[in-house]
Amino acid sequence: MAQGVGVSGRRGAAREIVVAGGGLPGLALALALRQALGEGVRVTVCDPAFGRADAPRDLRAYAVAAAARRMLERLGVWDAVASSAQPIREMVITDSRLADPVRPTFLTFEGEVSEGEPFAHMIEGGGLLAALREAAAAAGVVLEASSVLAAVPETGGITARLPDGRQIRADLVVAADGARSRLREAAGIGWVGWSYPQSGIVATVAHERDHEGRAIEHFLPSGPFAVLPLPPGGPLGHRSSIVWTERQSEVPALLGGGPEEALMEVERRFGLGLGPIALESPLKAYPLSFGIARRFGAKRLMLLGDAAHVIHPIAGQGLNLGLRSAAALAEALADTMRLGLDPGGPEALETYERSRRFDTLAMGAATDGLNRLFSNDALPVRLARDLGLGLVDRLPGLKRLFIREAAGLRGRQPRLMRGEAL
């Protein structure tokens, strides 16, 4: 691959941007910039997984909110995955202890934000990642099968150093290299966060009866147990994804037995409403944490996705938050470059930081607060939250407000999230 040459200060010359990390936000950013600016920007996405035919497939399923779906439609990606996406038509919230014989429903949401537009779709991560990667390559994004060891700012540019000794001279490096971002740490950007005493356990469950597009969130003392609808298929005809929050101390015992013991534990929480069940994929646990960078960038470096923020999965908003940041960063960079300004300069970073800081803090605080409220078995707390859920269920206007929030349609959204071109 030819080395890029940063060209700060020359109006009309192609800019060079390197994205370290080929996850969903990083690829979405790269694709958006190429579609908006064409040959005016050269984008290289670096990720070792690009060169591994045996790279593990992402078995997680994500709730793609309506605003994120509009973004993917504008990027031309949604049509490639629409047939494997399951609309969420209804959301049901229950609150009980694990041994309770009845799980009372305290709150239900209809699943549409407008006629014919669901507030979210469930989609498996592997298919969405493959579609974004293919679209990015077709748009002229260079997919480099390598990590970025270091990003060294210099006069008029920044140099991305690869493990094999090659260097890419660029105007800007975007660190999308995960929650333990090496580039963020090397830039001296602080991180505020903590680990939860919980793990998230995910799996795909096959079941006999149709879920009819219904998502269920069971609030249990150890944390929420979400049943999220997937498209038909599997050995029993129907499928759902589970996101099971459990005390970390319990996880070794829950996952340490054989398949029969794992299925029994899932059945206790999944319930019998969808008939007999089977595990279509093994249980996989992830430690849960909260974190946010003190700044979303440094000199010629910007943070994206988990490198900038990590939140609890209780509301299923992690991917949507990352895509919103990708849309906002793409907008800031495209507008800056159209004015002939340097995408690695302070103007673009300030615009990005201003557009994302409050929303990120608000979403992080909301998910943290919900987890602390609903992972609590104290009787007064349970009574208060169940009363609150019941009141919300009786207020249609407030329910519509919540569903638009979950759909990502409240507040000022980046142009891509509104389905508009950059």
Side-chain angles (χ1 to χ4, degrees):
M1 182 187 68
Q3 292 183 2
V5 179
V7 283
S8 302
R10 288 195 293 158
R11 184 180 296 273
R15 299 289 189 170
E16 182 87 22
I17 294 176
V18 173
V19 180
L24 296 169
L27 286 169
L29 170 68
L31 175 58
L33 288 174
R34 282 291 296 184
Q35 288 185 352
L37 299 170
E39 295 303 315
V41 62
R42 293 187 294 267
V43 186
T44 301
V45 180
C46 297
D47 195 309
F50 294 156
R52 292 165 51 194
D54 61 343
R57 183 179 174 86
D58 187 351
L59 298 177
R60 291 172 292 180
Y62 298 95
V64 176
R69 178 190 53 78
R70 293 177 184 182
M71 175 184 179
L72 294 171
E73 283 182 340
R74 170 55 63 179
L75 294 178
V77 173
W78 187 252
D79 284 348
V81 298
S83 62
S84 58
Q86 169 64 49
I88 298 179
R89 306 191 186 281
E90 184 183 17
M91 184 77 184
V92 176
I93 295 176
T94 73
D95 187 5
S96 70
R97 294 186 175 95
L98 184 58
D100 289 351
V102 177
R103 293 177 176 174
T105 297
F106 288 96
L107 183 58
T108 60
F109 291 107
E110 292 183 357
E112 292 187 345
V113 290
S114 61
E115 188 173 354
E117 184 178 22
F119 84 93
H121 287 76
M122 289 300 301
I123 186 164
E124 291 172 286
L128 180 56
L129 185 66
L132 266 172
R133 188 182 298 178
E134 183 176 338
V141 175
V142 177
L143 303 180
E144 175 66 47
S146 173
S147 59
V148 176
L149 283 182
V152 183
E154 299 162 348
T155 302
I158 187 168
T159 297
R161 295 178 178 172
L162 310 187
D164 62 4
R166 285 180 298 153
Q167 299 183 353
I168 307 174
R169 171 79 168 175
D171 297 283
L172 173 71
V173 170
V174 177
D177 53 343
R180 298 182 178 180
S181 170
R182 173 167 38 198
L183 300 183
R184 183 191 69 223
E185 292 181 4
I189 299 174
W191 183 256
V192 179
W194 51 82
S195 297
Y196 292 107
Q198 298 169 314
S199 289
I201 304 173
V202 298
T204 300
V205 175
H207 46 85
E208 191 175 79
R209 297 176 189 157
D210 188 357
H211 48 56
E212 299 179 343
R214 182 180 299 109
I216 301 172
E217 187 96 48
H218 297 306
F219 286 116
L220 298 167
S222 60
F225 183 92
V227 179
L228 305 167
L230 293 175
L236 298 178
H238 302 281
R239 306 158 65 239
S240 291
S241 173
I242 60 168
V243 182
W244 167 11
T245 301
E246 185 56 71
R247 296 184 186 95
Q248 212 164 58
S249 58
E250 300 293 328
V251 170
L254 291 169
L255 271 59
E260 292 183 2
E261 289 84 353
L263 178 60
M264 182 180 68
E265 292 294 344
V266 172
E267 283 179 331
R268 293 180 67 202
R269 294 157 178 81
F270 196 94
L272 303 175
L274 297 178
I277 69 170
L279 285 176
E280 189 175 315
S281 68
L283 301 177
K284 188 171 181 61
Y286 299 86
L288 299 181
S289 63
F290 169 87
I292 185 168
R294 290 189 179 276
R295 293 175 289 135
F296 286 171
K299 186 177 181 181
R300 297 197 175 274
L301 179 77
M302 296 192 191
L303 307 182
L304 180 63
D306 286 355
H309 43 66
V310 176
I311 63 173
H312 196 282
I314 189 169
Q317 291 296 314
L319 172 62
N320 296 296
L321 192 64
L323 290 178
R324 266 204 306 279
S325 293
L329 181 53
E331 185 171 311
L333 293 175
D335 289 349
T336 297
M337 284 184 272
R338 286 192 179 111
L339 292 172
L341 301 176
D342 183 354
E347 296 87 358
L349 174 57
E350 288 170 7
T351 300
Y352 175 52
E353 181 96 29
R354 188 167 56 248
S355 68
R356 296 305 305 140
R357 173 62 61 175
F358 177 77
D359 180 50
T360 302
L361 283 170
M363 181 60 70
T367 55
D368 181 71
L370 284 171
N371 180 56
R372 293 177 189 277
L373 176 64
F374 285 97
S375 301
N376 191 320
D377 199 35
L379 182 59
V381 176
R382 292 188 66 215
L383 291 174
R385 74 191 180 213
D386 292 347
L387 176 62
L389 290 172
L391 288 174
V392 172
D393 200 44
R394 291 166 174 79
L395 297 171
L398 190 55
K399 288 172 71 172
R400 284 194 295 271
L401 186 69
F402 284 156
I403 207 72
R404 289 189 65 80
E405 181 71 43
L409 299 176
R410 290 191 66 242
R412 185 192 179 280
Q413 294 297 318
R415 293 196 292 270
L416 284 172
M417 287 283 183
R418 302 196 297 265
E420 301 170 7
L422 275 184

